[in-house]
Each structure stands twice: as structure tokens, then as C-alpha cells.
Amino acid sequence: MSPRAFVPEALTTAQLEQLVDAARWAPSASNKQPWHFAYALRGDAHWEAFSNIPNEFNRRWCLNAGALIVLLSDKQASAAKHSFDAGCAWGYLALEAHAMGLATHAMGGFSADEAGAVLGLPEHLVPEVVIAVGRRADASTLPEDLREREIASPRKPLEQVLSAGAVAAQV
């Protein structure tokens, strides 16, 4: 699940490094590893600039997280698979966070232009998602309209996402 309720305390640099160390072991096409993680820890010198990257809706809750991470993919390193490979690295980061007792929420709702400006991105680096990471808080800490959404989203049944052989008849 991708919670929105976070305890407003910073992650440590060691925690952030442990998360990204796990992510860097993700497989990638031709071992290009076309990802980069730019981050701000809650309250550090980069926090204010990073807080402008998520859209207004996401800022309502994500600024309580202990860190904000912008996942970048390098389209020069892997023109065809940079986004796919970066997504795999995100998955490894999310699994490591869970193992550490932390929660993550990847956001597609952000300004790529703002991320580019804040991070001084060259054209070949693509901001894929912004990831909020931290200790999970009780849903009661959220604005009222978000509390009801603080539940695990349903998943499609296995038979809708798995097929033996041809797919056309099953999707």
C-alpha cells in the first residue's frame, strides 16, 4: 500500500543510503543501470526546494514524510528501457523500505519542469516519480478528505493478470 500519513520526522542519511543501496542492485537491460536518485531529507537545506516539486494535491500530505526522492532515468544510457529499469529500481527501494519498517508512496503528480529547475537536470535525465518515504502515521493525522483513502487499494484477481500462452482472449 502507498500510505499518505507519515510521521513528520526526517530520515537519516544512513537510512536513505540503505534504501538506495538496495535499489542499485535492481536488474537492468545490458546492466546500464539508467537511474539516479536525488533526495532531500525533511528539514535539510534542500527540503524547501524539493517541496515545490509535488503537485498541490500531493503537497497536502507528502510534506510530512521523512524524505522526498526524485527518481530519474537516463535515456542516453538506455534509450529503450530507461523508464522500465528505473521502475524496477523503485520496486527494490520500496521493498527495502518495507523491510526497514518504513513506508513509501510514489507520486506521478508532480511538475517535471519544477524538478528540472530544482535539480538542474540535463535533457537526458527524465524525472519519473517523486517518492515520499518515512515512518507511517495514523490516518487521523491526514486532512479529513484523505482519511478514507488511507486503505490498501484492491488488486485485480490473478486470472486477470496471468495467462498461459496467448493473451488476446484473456485481456
Side-chain angles (χ1 to χ4, degrees):
M1 128 162 224
S2 297
R4 291 178 181 86
F6 288 96
V7 174
E9 64 186 28
L11 264 62
T12 66
T13 302
Q15 287 173 310
L16 199 288
E17 288 174 351
Q18 183 175 341
L19 292 169
V20 176
D21 188 47
R24 73 186 185 93
W25 287 99
S28 65
S30 300
N31 197 30
K32 296 290 187 179
Q33 303 172 49
W35 50 71
H36 184 86
F37 298 86
Y39 72 93
L41 299 177
R42 180 180 177 75
D44 75 6
H46 308 289
W47 187 256
E48 186 175 340
F50 270 64
S51 71
N52 292 313
I53 298 171
N55 67 21
E56 184 178 338
F57 176 82
N58 287 329
R59 278 195 302 269
R60 294 176 57 214
W61 59 267
C62 76
L63 298 184
N64 280 330
L68 291 176
I69 303 168
V70 180
L71 172 56
L72 306 165
S73 67
D74 185 343
K75 61 186 178 183
Q76 267 182 344
S78 180
K81 300 296 180 192
H82 62 96
S83 291
F84 180 82
D85 288 351
C88 187
W90 142 245
Y92 275 48
L93 185 148
L95 289 171
E96 182 67 16
H98 182 76
M100 294 169 62
L102 299 172
T104 58
H105 189 128
M107 298 168 267
F110 69 95
S111 169
D113 290 340
E114 187 69 24
V118 167
L119 301 173
L121 296 180
E123 191 169 306
H124 66 95
L125 292 180
V126 179
E128 297 286 351
V129 294
V130 177
I131 306 162
V133 184
R135 271 193 324 115
R136 192 168 176 193
D138 188 83
S140 65
T141 63
L142 291 169
E144 187 174 339
D145 64 315
L146 294 179
R147 286 182 204 148
E148 64 191 38
R149 297 177 71 178
E150 197 68 358
I151 58 170
S153 300
R155 296 288 162 217
K156 292 179 181 179
L158 187 58
E159 60 272 7
Q160 287 185 15
V161 298
L162 176 66
S163 59
V167 175
Q170 298 183 16
V171 289

